Structure formats: C-alpha cells, structure tokens
Amino acid sequence: MAAAGAAFSFSSASSSSAALLRPGWAPLRRWRALARSTSSSPRSAASDEATVISGTKLAHQVLQEVRRDVESWISAGNQRPHLTVILVGDNPASHIYVRNKIKAAAAVGISSEIILRPKDISQEELLEMTAKLNKDSRVSGLLVQLPLPDHIDERTVCNAIAPGKDVDGFHIINVGRLCLDQPSIIPATAAAVWEIIKRTGIQTFGKNVLVAGRSKNVGMPISMLLHTDGEHERPGGDATVTITHRYTPKEQLKIHTQLADIVIVAAGIPKLITTDMVKEGAAVIDVGINHIHDPLTGKTKLVGDVDFEEVKKKAAFITPVPGGVGPMTVAMLLKNTLLVTKKLIY
C-alpha cells in the first residue's frame, strides 16, 4: 500500500516534482535498493516460528570489537579507558546491573570502579561528588545508576555529569543532539535496540514501527533513532514511528500494533503484547524488565512485556527476556565508554 501511495503522489505531482525521479535522486536509489534486496525467510518451515534473536551472541560480537579497539588505543600510547559508576542505595536490581557492567568492562580491558553511597545521601553531596569526578582526568566515563531515591532529582543529577563523560547519554545536551540527528552519546538501551535491528538485518526503511513506551531514557531515543533520515549527520532508520504509552487504551494499542512491521515494547507491563496484536511476520523487540512470582517454582523470575511463547509463533523475529536487549545494553554502554575516551563525539 505504501508503494502504491508513493506512486500516486509522484504521478499526480507537477513536472518539476516529477524531475525528482531522476536516477541520481538518493531516496529513490535507496527505495529501489530495498525493493531489490532479497533474503530467505527468517521463519523455519519446520517449526513455523520466529527467529529468536540472541542478544547474548550479538553482545559478544560487540564486546569483541570493543576489546580490539581498546587494545589498539592503549598500544598507541593512550590512557586506558576508565568507567566510574556511582551507586546510591541498596536496590537489588541496581546492584546486579552494576556488577554486570563492571564484569563486562574488565573483560574488554576497560578499568572501572564503583562508588557506593547510602540511600540517604543528600542531593548536594551527590552533585559535589559528580563535579569532582568531572574534573578527574583519570575518569573517562561516568554514570550515576538509576533509579535514585525519591528525595533526589534525577534530571538535575544527569545534567550535572559532563556531556563528554556522559556514557548513559542522559545529559540534556546529548538528548538534544540526538533529537537534532547530530552525533551524540546514545542511551545504551536505545543503542542496543538499534544495533540489534541493524545486525539482524531487519529492514526499517519505509516500514511502520510501534514503540510502546515513552520514557525519555528508552522509548523516546528509540523512536528518534528509527524515524530520522538515514542520510543525516547521525543516520536514522527512515521508518514511520508511532508511540504509545500506559494510557493508550488497549483496543487502540492493538490497532497500532497490528499495522506495525516492527514492534518495540518498553512499557514494563508483563504480557502487554499478545499474539492477536501482532501482524504475521513482524519483528518484535522486547525491552521489558519485570520480576514476577512463578507459582510453579515459588521463585521470582524475569519476564518481558511480550507473551513470548505465543508471539514467537507469529512473528518473524523476536528477542527473549532474559538474553535479548539486556546483554546488548551492557555492550553498548562499554562502546559508549570507548567513544568518550577517544573523544569521538566532543
């Protein structure tokens, strides 16, 4: 339908507009290249199920690349990249995430440290610590693990980190540059989703994308990456993006998801996306992180926002939880650390 609509608009345009169809017109070249591209079906004829994208395997690829770059950087006589993480309070999930980051950093040759602070730390003290680390030449990358206690304003803290050390990409300058299609530090989860799409070969040009979730750290940057022009300074996905959120009525959400070629879910609602909501052959990327009680084992288990077992019977691609976006997020954070170390953005 999209192709037919495009043909109609061109044929009904003026002769001057029709001149845009000359062979050298870049968007037309890319559209034709997309139309010519052929690939085997990602669905197995035997199982008729989606290709399950292993974020763990993709993360291993990214980490190998980062490790090679780190070794090359150090061999050239440069200072070893160093990541400092400020961890406030005793949130169990935050402690797990930080340990994973530190472990991965060591594996690629990036030195790191965790600065632990109690949950009753004042905002002023946290800001003073951040200012001191901004000036520390030994620290190339800096992040404050979120969430923070309620008495601390997260936006104020994120903006206190020097943009050139902001490996999370949450500083207002990095967010602004991202929205203007300029080179910036991209938030690691959004970068992970974008990298998964590119490395898996999922086509975005001219496609419909549904992003369920509007958070400024995940949903918004993912949407910006996917809808912007692929020929801009910071290339995007040239997709048509629809954003929904927790107040989108379920029946309206279903209408949008059924039209989507790619569904990206970052809402924090278990089984928000069910099989009846997904178009046959769509790609489904689950960013959800939910800890639920498993009545069979009596233990807590990690699940995403997608009814994985059912949706994989209908989708072409799907990411699991755990083992999908999570490992890639850690890998992209370390890639960001290398970028700020080499000052490739600022």
Side-chain angles (χ1 to χ4, degrees):
M1 182 173 292
F8 176 80
S9 64
F10 287 142
S11 62
S12 60
S14 65
S15 58
S16 60
S17 298
L20 292 174
L21 293 178
R22 64 185 183 275
W25 188 47
L28 184 60
R29 291 201 309 272
R30 290 162 57 206
W31 182 271
R32 285 174 174 167
L34 176 63
R36 286 196 301 267
S37 65
T38 57
S39 60
S40 58
S41 172
R43 293 167 66 91
S44 165
S47 64
D48 197 32
E49 289 188 349
T51 294
V52 178
I53 302 170
S54 173
T56 302
K57 289 183 179 179
L58 292 178
H60 182 66
Q61 294 175 10
V62 174
L63 292 173
Q64 282 186 317
E65 294 164 8
V66 171
R67 181 176 181 81
R68 286 196 297 268
D69 287 348
V70 168
E71 290 174 350
S72 176
W73 175 253
I74 295 172
S75 296
N78 297 297
Q79 178 178 291
R80 183 178 298 276
H82 181 85
L83 173 65
T84 296
V85 181
I86 301 175
L87 178 55
V88 178
D90 51 10
N91 183 308
S94 291
H95 279 256
I96 292 172
Y97 299 150
V98 169
R99 284 200 301 270
N100 289 340
K101 294 169 184 177
I102 298 302
K103 182 179 178 180
V108 298
I110 293 176
S111 64
S112 61
E113 66 178 329
I114 304 173
I115 299 178
L116 294 172
R117 287 295 180 267
K119 63 182 179 181
D120 59 353
I121 185 176
S122 69
Q123 179 168 303
E124 182 180 5
E125 184 181 350
L126 184 57
L127 293 175
E128 288 176 357
M129 182 185 307
T130 301
K132 190 175 297 184
L133 291 168
N134 283 339
K135 298 175 182 178
D136 189 340
S137 60
R138 184 180 61 92
V139 177
S140 48
L142 172 62
L143 70 86
V144 178
Q145 182 66 37
L146 304 181
L148 290 169
D150 292 340
H151 68 281
I152 298 176
D153 182 68
E154 291 186 353
R155 173 46 50 199
T156 299
V157 173
C158 289
N159 286 342
I161 298 173
K165 292 189 177 186
D166 173 33
V167 292
D168 263 338
F170 294 163
H171 190 284
I172 192 169
I173 290 179
N174 280 320
V175 174
R177 291 174 67 94
L178 171 67
C179 292
L180 292 173
D181 304 341
Q182 295 178 354
S184 65
I185 303 300
I186 298 172
T189 301
V193 171
W194 184 223
E195 197 71 16
I196 286 171
I197 287 172
K198 290 189 292 184
R199 289 182 184 247
T200 306
I202 297 170
Q203 296 174 351
T204 61
F205 185 82
K207 300 296 184 180
N208 290 323
V209 176
L210 183 282
V211 178
R214 60 181 175 181
S215 76
K216 298 302 179 281
N217 297 341
V218 180
M220 184 278 289
I222 288 172
S223 302
M224 296 305 301
L225 288 169
L226 286 169
H227 95 271
T228 51
D229 195 316
E231 295 189 348
H232 278 183
E233 190 176 356
R234 193 267 302 142
D238 284 310
T240 300
V241 179
T242 300
I243 304 173
T244 63
H245 48 78
R246 67 178 63 190
Y247 299 124
T248 302
K250 191 69 178 281
E251 61 273 16
Q252 293 296 321
L253 174 62
K254 184 175 180 179
I255 291 172
H256 293 302
T257 56
Q258 287 179 334
L259 292 172
D261 303 296
I262 303 171
V263 177
I264 301 169
V265 200
I269 302 174
K271 294 190 177 181
L272 174 65
I273 304 299
T274 52
T275 186
D276 60 309
M277 301 172 70
V278 177
K279 181 169 72 172
E280 186 80 29
V284 180
I285 299 179
D286 192 348
V287 192
I289 300 175
N290 307 289
H291 295 88
I292 65 170
H293 177 73
D294 186 347
L296 296 178
T297 64
K299 298 180 180 179
T300 298
K301 69 176 182 178
L302 178 64
V303 300
D305 292 352
V306 176
D307 187 350
F308 179 80
E309 292 301 328
E310 292 301 317
V311 172
K312 75 176 182 179
K313 299 174 184 176
K314 196 173 183 180
F317 294 97
I318 191 168
T319 59
V321 176
V325 175
M328 278 293 286
T329 297
V330 174
M332 297 311 293
L333 175 74
L334 297 179
K335 188 170 184 177
N336 282 351
T337 302
L338 183 59
L339 287 175
V340 298
T341 302
K342 299 171 74 172
K343 302 187 184 304
L344 295 179
I345 303 298
Y346 295 98

